[in-house]
Amino acid sequence: PSPSPPPPPSPSPSSPPPTRPRSTPRRRHPKATAAKPFSAMAAAEGSPANTELGKWEFWIDRGGTFTDVVAKLPSGDVETRKLLSENPEAYKDAAIQGIRDFIAWGK
């Protein structure tokens, strides 16, 4: 009969524990928010942003450095813009400015 193989070495007390998948979600920047649909009415000063072909739809991702604005145009095309989140010399709020830019561009 052949001898049995030696048992595997036991982990030493200084060995790090095996890695496991992250159980908690990553922290987000305090100003970061999940992308949400945004009514174009807020940017158009109370007037709906409807056209003959359809409606505008907006999604905003506000980060610490940049704010991303995604727009679904009335034609169905999707466009994106990136603005500095803080630019007080140019605009008060990046998300609203991005929406205004899209609506002005779409006319």
Side-chain angles (χ1 to χ4, degrees):
S2 63
S4 61
S10 61
S12 68
S14 63
S15 298
T19 59
R20 288 188 268 172
R22 183 183 291 261
S23 60
T24 57
R26 291 183 179 202
R27 291 174 140 195
R28 295 179 59 91
H29 186 278
K31 287 188 176 181
T33 58
K36 299 176 187 174
F38 185 86
S39 169
M41 292 176 70
E45 300 177 10
S47 61
N50 294 335
T51 67
E52 295 174 8
L53 298 174
K55 297 180 181 180
W56 288 85
E57 292 183 45
F58 297 95
W59 293 268
I60 308 297
D61 181 12
R62 190 185 308 261
T65 303
F66 290 103
T67 295
D68 296 298
V69 181
V70 178
K72 182 176 178 187
L73 284 63
S75 65
D77 294 337
V78 176
E79 299 283 339
T80 62
R81 296 287 186 271
K82 184 179 290 276
L83 293 95
L84 285 171
S85 293
E86 301 290 330
N87 192 355
E89 297 84 24
Y91 42 81
K92 187 174 178 179
D93 183 271
I96 297 298
Q97 185 62 43
I99 292 170
R100 286 182 176 149
D101 292 348
F102 271 116
I103 292 173
W105 175 71
K107 288 183 178 179

